[in-house]
């Protein structure tokens, strides 16, 4: 009997040690971070560097695990997954959320901000609204990172909109579907991962996206023409669930905000650099790279004005104040 008691006490003690060890282990919080694009894109490189910086400076309190290319959660589900705390943090292409709030549509309006200096101003002017729109879903913006300007890919020369009539045009957001419509083409929603296959099976004939995305998808294998229309500079954004972020101690929150700020600088610098480098690669690989004709530019700009007017109507006073702030910068 006595022996048994001692044995029980010993078991108790070792159980306590085990529990203590386990709680020590779980002192490190793990976050899953789904990313929509694959490892070849600068967006994913930027997000990885953010996670590495946080992990290195979190003193064992937090570990962010990156899941790129929609491997954990597919792009259309990432916003909902962070909002519902299925995961803690995630990245999306801002324009995809256009139907949630008009401010997300502003990111894809053609010919409003077509160079990086203007895109930076537009970001500055719209940032408060962007933060507010995310806050409605209990999300906190960490950083944005742009893509190079959006250019036109096609399998024939496009000298005017007449050349696009009836072509199937890839869209990646509500705003780009509308753009395809106004161009006289047929919008087809295709995620980046399916672009190559969609071209080779004739599911799409044309697309508007960055030179980087063409390089990532080896577009020279199945697309011949690239017109540098520089229509807009869209962004991805990284956000965290606010409730989860607020649970961290202040020091750890600061580690995250500092890493986010560094990632934002890095993303904007990289996009500027890749806009040039990746256009050169498309040319070197044999694509016919040309500037748009006056006629095409004029037609596209007119569509841009229509889309901006429609956006202003939808976005109301808060939209007008963003636009006024942008123009004043
Ligand atoms: N590439 C992404 C979004 C914008 C861009 O340049 C894509 O085509 O899906």
């Amino acid at each position: 009997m006595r022996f048994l008691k001692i044995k029980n006490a010993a078991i108790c003690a070792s159980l306590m040690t085990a529990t203590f060890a386990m709680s020590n282990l779980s002192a490190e919080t793990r976050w899953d971070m789904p990313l929509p694009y694959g490892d070849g894109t600068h967006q994913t490189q930027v997000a990885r560097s953010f996670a590495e910086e946080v992990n290195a400076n979190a003193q064992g309190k937090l570990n962010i695990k990156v899941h790129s290319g929609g491997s954990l959660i597919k792009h259309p589900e990432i916003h909902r997954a962070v909002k519902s705390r299925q995961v803690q943090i995630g990245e999306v292409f801002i324009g995809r959320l256009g139907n949630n709030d008009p401010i997300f549509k502003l990111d894809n309006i053609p010919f409003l901000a077509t160079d990086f200096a203007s895109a930076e101003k537009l970001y500055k002017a719209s940032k408060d609204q962007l933060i507010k729109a995310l806050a409605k879903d209990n999300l906190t913006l960490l950083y944005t990172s742009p893509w190079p300007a959006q250019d036109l890919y096609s399998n024939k020369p496009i000298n005017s909109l007449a050349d696009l009539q009836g072509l199937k045009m890839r869209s990646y957001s509500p705003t780009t579907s509308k753009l395809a419509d106004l161009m006289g083409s047929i919008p087809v929603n295709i995620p980046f991962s399916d672009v190559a296959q969609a071209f080779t099976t004739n599911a799409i004939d044309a697309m508007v996206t960055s030179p980087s995305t063409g390089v990532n998808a080896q577009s020279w294998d199945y697309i011949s023409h690239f017109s540098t229309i520089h229509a807009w500079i869209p962004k991805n954004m990284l956000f965290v669930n606010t409730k989860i972020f607020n649970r961290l101690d202040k020091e750890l929150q600061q580690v995250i905000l500092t890493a986010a700020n560094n990632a934002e600088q890095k993303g904007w610098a990289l996009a500027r650099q890749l806009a040039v480098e990746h256009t050169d690669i498309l040319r070197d690989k044999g694509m016919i790279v040309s500037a748009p004709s006056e006629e095409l530019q004029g037609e596209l700009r007119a569509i841009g004005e229509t889309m901006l007017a429609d956006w202003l109507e939808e976005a109301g006073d808060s939209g007008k104040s963003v636009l006024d702030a942008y123009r004043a910068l």
Side-chain angles (χ1 to χ4, degrees):
M1 212 41 199
R2 196 160 166 228
F3 168 74
L4 258 182
K5 264 194 189 148
I6 292 172
K7 204 177 160 197
N8 276 346
I11 290 171
C12 257
S14 62
L15 266 177
M16 272 169 68
T17 321
T19 319
F20 181 70
M22 270 168 67
S23 66
N24 242 2
L25 270 181
S26 63
E28 181 182 270
T29 303
R30 186 181 126 164
W31 283 4
D32 287 306
M33 182 163 93
L35 307 176
Y37 291 89
D39 290 322
T41 68
H42 71 287
Q43 302 291 16
T44 294
Q45 287 154 17
V46 169
R48 277 193 189 281
S49 75
F50 162 81
E52 277 160 21
E53 184 178 335
V54 171
N55 294 347
N57 295 332
Q59 295 170 339
K61 288 187 280 186
L62 176 65
N63 188 280
I64 300 181
K65 186 159 172 35
V66 173
H67 305 271
S68 61
S71 57
L72 181 67
I73 295 175
K74 298 262 174 277
H75 200 171
E77 296 299 318
I78 292 177
H79 176 260
R80 188 201 45 75
V82 183
K83 180 180 160 181
S84 66
R85 284 180 277 155
Q86 182 186 347
V87 290
Q88 299 76 13
I89 185 170
E91 179 186 331
V92 302
F93 179 72
I94 295 179
R96 277 198 81 94
L97 302 175
N99 289 336
N100 293 24
D101 191 293
I103 197 68
F104 299 130
K105 278 191 182 149
L106 185 69
D107 210 61
N108 289 177
I109 299 287
F111 303 105
L112 175 60
T114 59
D115 56 57
F116 279 101
S118 313
E120 266 176 6
K121 285 181 189 167
L122 189 61
Y123 176 37
K124 220 178 189 176
S126 59
K127 192 171 176 183
D128 284 351
Q129 300 274 349
L130 199 59
I131 289 171
K132 261 194 208 153
L134 287 171
K136 280 196 284 180
D137 287 324
N138 206 19
L139 300 170
T140 296
L141 177 69
L142 288 176
Y143 68 77
T144 68
S145 172
W147 296 87
Q150 307 291 285
D151 295 324
L152 177 63
Y153 292 74
S154 60
N155 268 323
K156 62 176 190 180
I158 306 292
N159 294 314
S160 72
L161 284 187
D163 296 322
L164 280 171
Q165 294 312 295
L167 293 191
K168 283 168 280 177
M169 172 83 72
R170 173 191 179 224
S171 70
Y172 57 41
S173 66
T175 314
T176 51
S177 295
K178 182 169 175 184
L179 172 67
D181 254 339
L182 291 171
M183 285 168 129
S185 57
I186 302 156
V188 185
N189 204 313
I190 302 278
F192 165 73
S193 50
D194 297 346
V195 159
Q197 203 198 2
F199 267 99
T200 51
T201 57
N202 298 321
I204 48 172
D205 310 300
M207 67 177 173
V208 179
T209 188
S210 59
S212 299
T213 292
V215 169
N216 294 150
Q218 308 212 340
S219 56
W220 48 87
D221 285 342
Y222 46 88
I223 313 174
S224 54
H225 288 68
F226 181 77
S227 174
T228 54
I229 60 172
H230 294 355
W232 67 96
I233 294 182
K235 305 184 282 294
N236 282 14
M237 61 179 167
L238 185 80
F239 47 72
V240 59
N241 184 286
T242 306
K243 228 175 195 164
I244 291 174
F245 183 73
N246 287 345
R247 266 189 223 141
L248 304 177
D249 64 52
K250 286 278 170 273
E251 202 183 333
L252 197 47
Q253 288 180 0
Q254 196 49 52
V255 165
I256 291 175
L257 297 177
T258 303
N261 189 39
N262 291 338
E264 186 159 274
Q265 312 279 339
K266 195 172 188 162
W268 282 80
L270 251 180
R272 272 189 153 91
Q273 177 194 330
L274 295 178
V276 179
E277 287 178 17
H278 283 165
T279 305
D280 289 345
I281 293 179
L282 296 180
R283 194 182 292 109
D284 292 348
K285 293 284 184 182
M287 290 187 70
I288 299 164
V289 175
S290 58
S293 67
E294 293 273 313
E295 189 181 358
L296 182 63
Q297 277 189 61
E299 290 171 322
L300 290 174
R301 286 197 176 272
I303 291 178
E305 276 162 30
T306 306
M307 291 181 68
L308 185 60
D310 288 354
W311 181 81
L312 264 175
E313 209 174 298
E314 186 186 342
D317 287 347
S318 60
K320 188 177 175 308
S321 70
V322 168
L323 222 54
D324 288 347
Y326 168 59
R327 292 198 162 128
L329 282 171

